[in-house]
Amino acid sequence: MARIVMKFGGTSVADLDRIRNVAARVKREVEAGHEVAVVVSAMAGVTNQLVKWCQDLSPLHDAREYDAVVATGEQVTAGLLAIALQAIGVEARSWQGWQIPIHTDGAHGKARVEAIEGEVLIERMRQGQVPVITGFQGLGPRNRITTLGRGGSDLSAVAIAAAIRADRCDIYTDVDGIYTTDPRIVPRAKKLEKISYEEMLELASVGAKVLQTRSVELAMKQRVRVQVLSSFEDKPGSLVVDEDEIVEKPIVSGIAYSRDEAKVTLRRVPDRPGIAAAVFGALAKANVNVDMIVQNIGADGTTDLTFTVGRADLARARDVLEKARAEVGFESLLADPDVAKISVVGIGMRSHAGVANTMFRALAEKGINIQVISTSEIKVSVLVAAEYTELAVRALHTAYGLDAAPAAA
Ligand code: ADP
Ligand code: ASP
Ligand code: MG
């Protein structure tokens, strides 16, 4: 007997037939003698609609009320799945974040999990009940509902797996595993049987949304065994494991893209100490994350400062920077949301030179201009015009020799 967490994403619970399909899968694991806890996302498209309603009413809405709205999608699916399970003879009960509770900090819209009281879930599972838990939600300070950031049901699943000391955390989704890049963009992407926590963390953080970044971070810290697999087909998935469980280590393991960023340029900023601190301090105070940064040298005591922020934070970033304008003293602010960040990731980079150069050459051959570059120990990222996203990802996938062999005729 094992104790497992089964997490189902939005497309897996997109309508009642799919919810019935999920219930049948859960029943199979229960009948195999396992203790099962289920975590669900909102039905596909629902969270997007809820987010849009908040934005349409007010682009700079109160983040506490945003959470009150967007957390509702998961409540619906948890209740529906509990009903579907009961209908096929499986004892089940729905749980919302506050009922467990899943305690988080007060960073509304991207809250961090602080503690989960897992004992009540363990007790119910021992009694033969399946808890069906809302992903994405938590309970913040002053009893406010919080959400864990987009894609946050993955984090809920991993955090619950750690809290109930589960043997496995199975993430069911609409692809049958983790690929060398998004298989929807590159049909010749290869499925990885295993990937290291480090590489998956880096890939997720640069946009491979198959797993949410913080879920991988937590799985790595708590050594939760995560498997990504299809909720529509019976096939083994991909495992996220320790580096030493991987025998063959390619230089580049995967390529990711993100269209979720926007480029901001502050033109003619005074070139003196304290300016970067004033700009990025103001953004940090407003909870706006900054990613890539470049500063150009100007000739006349001014400089241009270019950086990227989350596209969803662009309105807030503009607002914050306009308010800090007197203190910072820039001449103008240019915002470009039509950009994409393309990244190549691999632990083999630690010991190989020339990885970035292959990237630059492959992009140059396609005539794609690089706007900003950033690197880390196992990653190189470039910012390009959004219209080149697919072309760039495909070109790099080929350049690093990741294309799967064509299927035999
Ligand atoms: P869910 O709703 O189940 O959480 P997501 O849409 O969040 O599903 O994540 C699954 C999607 O991630 C896939 O449909 C695929 O397009 C995308 N994806 C991006 N990069 C990868 C990758 N390297 N491997 C597999 N899927 C990827
Ligand atoms: N429903 C939330 C979202 O769409 C959480 C999730 O699906 O993981 O972001
Ligand atoms: Mg997801």
Side-chain angles (χ1 to χ4, degrees), residues 7 9-11 172-175 177-179 181-184 208-210:
K7 180 260 170 178
T11 39
Y172 288 87
T173 183
D174 56 1
V175 283
I178 299 163
Y179 281 72
T181 192
D182 188 343
R184 294 185 199 289
K209 65 172 183 160
V210 63

Side-chain angles (χ1 to χ4, degrees), residues 180-191:
T180 46
T181 192
D182 188 343
R184 294 185 199 289
I185 291 222
V186 181
R188 288 171 74 182
K190 271 189 293 212
K191 182 166 152 187

